[in-house]
């Protein structure tokens, strides 16, 4: 049985927020004390590490489920299928629909159900559910879609990853500059022999000492209301964790597929931090005693920031559409998807277009 991605879509919000927008922020250390030095220095250092120059924020009238709907409709159109064929809608996210200025995520009903409603998809046998798996959620959704199809429970799945992280960030935390909004989606189907195919996958959860590297916490400014919660992280610990475990997970999955590393055309890795992603890919190739090929890793974090579960499907969709520089993929190409995030969760997928 061949199981392939037959259509993709993505939504990049219209509000572009450049690094200069953070010049007047009152950044604090995690103990509430002010930073030494000016914001220009802080922002310059931030950009040199993460690569982020600007990020996308969603207009206030759109929630995460709306962004997911926009991406899902594009994916369905790209696949050229009747929406009533869809057996499962899987929506990966972390915080649900967030009203700007609050920290309460709305997940009743599920975001997948909301997308099904917006699509006006009538078939009651189409099951819609949400997936909470941190930043690797969309890849995990693809893995679950493959399992449904391989078992005979489904023929067509719609997998969405979306987030509006701009609504859950502490303005006094330097890490607030990392986060962004967006959504990506893919249609996964059983396909005839000779078409695309998911060749191998692997997932891990490291929760013994690593579970709270990403967490919900109060503002770094003591004078701010402490009953309001924001996304928080231990950046150095996440960097070290990712550089240790993601390359090994990628190697295990590639070895499982039986594909030679020299056949890998592109690596679509979670757009979290440019330096971290470069270090992960370099260590991955080092495991095979190989140099990193030129242009193997497309990047868009410079212009879009980190939109969590949306980064990988958005990047893949935009490369497929020829919108990321000179990067392109063609039928028969071997690509890797890889991600790391809250949990701490890691996953990888080897795919032949």
């Amino acid at each position: 049985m061949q199981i392939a991605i037959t259509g993709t879509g993505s939504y990049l919000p219209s509000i572009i927020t450049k690094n200069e927008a953070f010049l007047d922020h009152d950044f604090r250390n995690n103990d509430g004390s002010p930073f030494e030095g000016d914001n220009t220095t802080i922002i310059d250092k931030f950009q040199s590490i993460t690569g982020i120059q600007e990020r996308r924020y969603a207009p206030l009238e759109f929630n995460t489920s709306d962004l997911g709907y926009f991406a899902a409709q594009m994916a369905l159109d790209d696949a050229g299928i009747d929406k009533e064929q869809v057996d499962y809608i899987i929506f990966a996210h972390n915080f649900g629909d967030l009203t700007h200025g609050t920290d309460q995520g709305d997940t009743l009903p599920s975001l997948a159900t909301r997308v099904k409603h917006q699509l006006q998809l009538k078939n009651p046998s189409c099951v819609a559910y949400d997936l909470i798996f941190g930043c690797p959620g969309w890849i995990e959704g693809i893995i679950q879609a493959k399992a449904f199809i391989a078992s005979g429970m489904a023929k067509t799945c719609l997998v969405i990853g979306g987030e509006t992280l701009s609504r859950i960030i502490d303005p006094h935390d330097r890490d607030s500059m990392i986060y962004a909004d967006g959504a990506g989606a893919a249609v996964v189907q059983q396909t005839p022999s000779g078409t695309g195919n998911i060749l191998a996958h692997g997932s891990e959860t490291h929760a013994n000492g690593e579970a709270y590297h990403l967490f919900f916490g109060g503002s770094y400014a003591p004078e701010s209301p402490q009953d309001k919660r924001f996304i928080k992280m231990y950046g150095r610990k996440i960097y070290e964790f990712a550089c240790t475990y993601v390359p090994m997970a990628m190697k295990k999955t590639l070895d499982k597929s039986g594909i030679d590393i020299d056949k890998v055309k592109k690596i679509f890795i979670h757009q979290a931090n440019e330096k971290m992603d470069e270090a992960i890919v370099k260590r991955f190739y080092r495991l095979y005693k190989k140099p990193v090929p030129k242009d193997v890793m497309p990047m868009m974090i410079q212009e879009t920031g980190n939109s969590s579960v949306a980064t990988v499907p958005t990047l893949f969709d935009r490369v497929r559409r020829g919108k990321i520089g000179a990067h392109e993929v063609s039928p028969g190409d071997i690509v890797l998807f890889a991600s790391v995030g809250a949990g701490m969760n890691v996953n990888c997928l080897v795919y032949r277009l």
Side-chain angles (χ1 to χ4, degrees), residues 65-79:
S65 58
D66 297 310
L67 309 192
Y69 160 68
F70 299 145
Q73 187 63 70
M74 283 183 63
L76 290 169
D77 291 343
D78 187 42

PDB file of all heavy atoms in Angstrom, residues 65-79:
ATOM      1  N   SER A  65      -8.380  28.284  14.706  1.00  0.00           N
ATOM      2  CA  SER A  65      -9.223  27.427  13.867  1.00  0.00           C
ATOM      3  C   SER A  65      -9.494  28.064  12.509  1.00  0.00           C
ATOM      4  O   SER A  65      -9.607  27.348  11.500  1.00  0.00           O
ATOM      5  CB  SER A  65     -10.540  27.111  14.576  1.00  0.00           C
ATOM      6  OG  SER A  65     -11.247  28.286  14.907  1.00  0.00           O
ATOM      7  N   ASP A  66      -9.585  29.391  12.451  1.00  0.00           N
ATOM      8  CA  ASP A  66      -9.776  30.070  11.169  1.00  0.00           C
ATOM      9  C   ASP A  66      -8.550  29.888  10.274  1.00  0.00           C
ATOM     10  O   ASP A  66      -8.674  29.592   9.073  1.00  0.00           O
ATOM     11  CB  ASP A  66     -10.023  31.568  11.380  1.00  0.00           C
ATOM     12  CG  ASP A  66     -11.299  31.848  12.149  1.00  0.00           C
ATOM     13  OD1 ASP A  66     -12.343  31.294  11.778  1.00  0.00           O
ATOM     14  OD2 ASP A  66     -11.241  32.626  13.124  1.00  0.00           O
ATOM     15  N   LEU A  67      -7.358  30.061  10.864  1.00  0.00           N
ATOM     16  CA  LEU A  67      -6.136  29.883  10.087  1.00  0.00           C
ATOM     17  C   LEU A  67      -6.056  28.449   9.559  1.00  0.00           C
ATOM     18  O   LEU A  67      -5.669  28.212   8.409  1.00  0.00           O
ATOM     19  CB  LEU A  67      -4.897  30.180  10.934  1.00  0.00           C
ATOM     20  CG  LEU A  67      -4.840  31.498  11.724  1.00  0.00           C
ATOM     21  CD1 LEU A  67      -3.427  31.727  12.255  1.00  0.00           C
ATOM     22  CD2 LEU A  67      -5.291  32.676  10.893  1.00  0.00           C
ATOM     23  N   GLY A  68      -6.426  27.493  10.431  1.00  0.00           N
ATOM     24  CA  GLY A  68      -6.435  26.093  10.019  1.00  0.00           C
ATOM     25  C   GLY A  68      -7.405  25.831   8.884  1.00  0.00           C
ATOM     26  O   GLY A  68      -7.113  25.054   7.960  1.00  0.00           O
ATOM     27  N   TYR A  69      -8.560  26.478   8.939  1.00  0.00           N
ATOM     28  CA  TYR A  69      -9.560  26.332   7.875  1.00  0.00           C
ATOM     29  C   TYR A  69      -9.014  26.853   6.541  1.00  0.00           C
ATOM     30  O   TYR A  69      -9.167  26.197   5.499  1.00  0.00           O
ATOM     31  CB  TYR A  69     -10.831  27.076   8.253  1.00  0.00           C
ATOM     32  CG  TYR A  69     -11.736  27.396   7.090  1.00  0.00           C
ATOM     33  CD1 TYR A  69     -12.402  26.389   6.395  1.00  0.00           C
ATOM     34  CD2 TYR A  69     -11.912  28.716   6.662  1.00  0.00           C
ATOM     35  CE1 TYR A  69     -13.223  26.682   5.311  1.00  0.00           C
ATOM     36  CE2 TYR A  69     -12.731  29.017   5.586  1.00  0.00           C
ATOM     37  CZ  TYR A  69     -13.385  28.001   4.915  1.00  0.00           C
ATOM     38  OH  TYR A  69     -14.189  28.290   3.842  1.00  0.00           O
ATOM     39  N   PHE A  70      -8.354  28.017   6.565  1.00  0.00           N
ATOM     40  CA  PHE A  70      -7.793  28.577   5.326  1.00  0.00           C
ATOM     41  C   PHE A  70      -6.779  27.613   4.707  1.00  0.00           C
ATOM     42  O   PHE A  70      -6.789  27.368   3.492  1.00  0.00           O
ATOM     43  CB  PHE A  70      -7.122  29.922   5.602  1.00  0.00           C
ATOM     44  CG  PHE A  70      -8.042  30.986   6.142  1.00  0.00           C
ATOM     45  CD1 PHE A  70      -7.591  31.922   7.067  1.00  0.00           C
ATOM     46  CD2 PHE A  70      -9.366  31.061   5.736  1.00  0.00           C
ATOM     47  CE1 PHE A  70      -8.431  32.896   7.568  1.00  0.00           C
ATOM     48  CE2 PHE A  70     -10.217  32.036   6.242  1.00  0.00           C
ATOM     49  CZ  PHE A  70      -9.747  32.965   7.159  1.00  0.00           C
ATOM     50  N   ALA A  71      -5.896  27.058   5.552  1.00  0.00           N
ATOM     51  CA  ALA A  71      -4.884  26.128   5.051  1.00  0.00           C
ATOM     52  C   ALA A  71      -5.522  24.832   4.567  1.00  0.00           C
ATOM     53  O   ALA A  71      -5.116  24.264   3.541  1.00  0.00           O
ATOM     54  CB  ALA A  71      -3.857  25.840   6.151  1.00  0.00           C
ATOM     55  N   ALA A  72      -6.540  24.360   5.299  1.00  0.00           N
ATOM     56  CA  ALA A  72      -7.217  23.109   4.928  1.00  0.00           C
ATOM     57  C   ALA A  72      -7.913  23.231   3.584  1.00  0.00           C
ATOM     58  O   ALA A  72      -7.862  22.304   2.755  1.00  0.00           O
ATOM     59  CB  ALA A  72      -8.224  22.732   6.011  1.00  0.00           C
ATOM     60  N   GLN A  73      -8.573  24.351   3.339  1.00  0.00           N
ATOM     61  CA  GLN A  73      -9.263  24.540   2.063  1.00  0.00           C
ATOM     62  C   GLN A  73      -8.272  24.535   0.906  1.00  0.00           C
ATOM     63  O   GLN A  73      -8.530  23.934  -0.150  1.00  0.00           O
ATOM     64  CB  GLN A  73     -10.043  25.853   2.073  1.00  0.00           C
ATOM     65  CG  GLN A  73     -10.924  26.060   0.839  1.00  0.00           C
ATOM     66  CD  GLN A  73     -12.009  25.017   0.718  1.00  0.00           C
ATOM     67  OE1 GLN A  73     -12.953  24.995   1.504  1.00  0.00           O
ATOM     68  NE2 GLN A  73     -11.893  24.127  -0.272  1.00  0.00           N
ATOM     69  N   MET A  74      -7.109  25.160   1.118  1.00  0.00           N
ATOM     70  CA  MET A  74      -6.073  25.140   0.083  1.00  0.00           C
ATOM     71  C   MET A  74      -5.595  23.718  -0.189  1.00  0.00           C
ATOM     72  O   MET A  74      -5.385  23.328  -1.348  1.00  0.00           O
ATOM     73  CB  MET A  74      -4.882  25.999   0.518  1.00  0.00           C
ATOM     74  CG  MET A  74      -5.068  27.499   0.393  1.00  0.00           C
ATOM     75  SD  MET A  74      -3.544  28.383   0.854  1.00  0.00           S
ATOM     76  CE  MET A  74      -2.415  27.796  -0.412  1.00  0.00           C
ATOM     77  N   ALA A  75      -5.407  22.939   0.877  1.00  0.00           N
ATOM     78  CA  ALA A  75      -4.918  21.565   0.716  1.00  0.00           C
ATOM     79  C   ALA A  75      -5.927  20.709  -0.037  1.00  0.00           C
ATOM     80  O   ALA A  75      -5.555  19.904  -0.901  1.00  0.00           O
ATOM     81  CB  ALA A  75      -4.606  20.965   2.082  1.00  0.00           C
ATOM     82  N   LEU A  76      -7.199  20.865   0.293  1.00  0.00           N
ATOM     83  CA  LEU A  76      -8.245  20.108  -0.399  1.00  0.00           C
ATOM     84  C   LEU A  76      -8.301  20.492  -1.875  1.00  0.00           C
ATOM     85  O   LEU A  76      -8.436  19.624  -2.753  1.00  0.00           O
ATOM     86  CB  LEU A  76      -9.598  20.353   0.266  1.00  0.00           C
ATOM     87  CG  LEU A  76      -9.790  19.746   1.660  1.00  0.00           C
ATOM     88  CD1 LEU A  76     -11.060  20.286   2.298  1.00  0.00           C
ATOM     89  CD2 LEU A  76      -9.840  18.221   1.587  1.00  0.00           C
ATOM     90  N   ASP A  77      -8.195  21.791  -2.152  1.00  0.00           N
ATOM     91  CA  ASP A  77      -8.189  22.251  -3.547  1.00  0.00           C
ATOM     92  C   ASP A  77      -6.974  21.698  -4.293  1.00  0.00           C
ATOM     93  O   ASP A  77      -7.076  21.286  -5.459  1.00  0.00           O
ATOM     94  CB  ASP A  77      -8.180  23.782  -3.598  1.00  0.00           C
ATOM     95  CG  ASP A  77      -9.484  24.393  -3.115  1.00  0.00           C
ATOM     96  OD1 ASP A  77     -10.496  23.661  -3.037  1.00  0.00           O
ATOM     97  OD2 ASP A  77      -9.495  25.600  -2.796  1.00  0.00           O
ATOM     98  N   ASP A  78      -5.827  21.697  -3.601  1.00  0.00           N
ATOM     99  CA  ASP A  78      -4.603  21.206  -4.228  1.00  0.00           C
ATOM    100  C   ASP A  78      -4.702  19.712  -4.537  1.00  0.00           C
ATOM    101  O   ASP A  78      -4.238  19.249  -5.587  1.00  0.00           O
ATOM    102  CB  ASP A  78      -3.415  21.472  -3.296  1.00  0.00           C
ATOM    103  CG  ASP A  78      -2.080  21.141  -3.930  1.00  0.00           C
ATOM    104  OD1 ASP A  78      -1.886  21.462  -5.114  1.00  0.00           O
ATOM    105  OD2 ASP A  78      -1.219  20.567  -3.238  1.00  0.00           O
ATOM    106  N   ALA A  79      -5.330  18.959  -3.633  1.00  0.00           N
ATOM    107  CA  ALA A  79      -5.499  17.523  -3.845  1.00  0.00           C
ATOM    108  C   ALA A  79      -6.552  17.227  -4.906  1.00  0.00           C
ATOM    109  O   ALA A  79      -6.565  16.124  -5.482  1.00  0.00           O
ATOM    110  CB  ALA A  79      -5.875  16.841  -2.536  1.00  0.00           C
TER     111      ALA A  79
END
